[in-house]
Amino acid sequence: MPKIKFLPHAILLPKGGEFDAQEGEIILDVALRNNVNINHFCERSCVCTTCHCIIRKGFTSLSDCEEKEEDILDKAWGLEVESRLSCQARVGNKDLEIEIPLQIYK
């Protein structure tokens, strides 16, 4: 069973946290189930960037990024090569380490 480690976030998870995930599960669902309240203003419809996260470890194990997600990600603040929308990225078979950009919550 893969684990998701969320790095410390000053507002959402000051001490960070590590949670179990199921292969194929959406990152956002794992976060919300564990009271990590990542913004998701478009309710998982892939039209905003409020659930943007940066995958620090395990990026290549995630589901492929669809063209629609890539187009939306281009608008994200703090975009990095390992950025994904947590409402679209599905957990693979490897552990993940995730950073939630602070700017969205200021």
Side-chain angles (χ1 to χ4, degrees), residues 16-93:
E18 188 171 300
F19 309 104
D20 290 331
Q22 297 293 322
E23 192 170 338
E25 191 172 16
I26 294 172
I27 291 172
L28 179 62
D29 291 341
V30 176
L32 295 176
R33 182 176 68 242
N34 290 285
N35 298 313
V36 181
N37 295 312
I38 296 175
N39 286 337
H40 54 289
F41 295 148
C42 73
E43 294 296 325
R44 299 175 177 92
S45 62
C46 196
V47 296
C48 75
T49 62
T50 57
C51 71
H52 168 230
C53 63
I54 303 164
I55 313 303
R56 296 296 181 199
K57 290 184 183 170
F59 182 82
T60 58
S61 71
L62 295 173
S63 60
D64 290 337
C65 190
E66 301 290 329
E67 186 175 341
K68 183 176 181 181
E69 181 184 358
E70 289 176 356
D71 290 344
I72 296 299
L73 269 172
D74 285 341
K75 301 171 188 169
W77 178 90
L79 183 67
E80 294 190 18
V81 174
E82 297 86 12
S83 289
R84 290 296 301 267
L85 296 179
S86 65
C87 73
Q88 301 298 305
R90 292 191 179 275
V91 176
N93 59 358

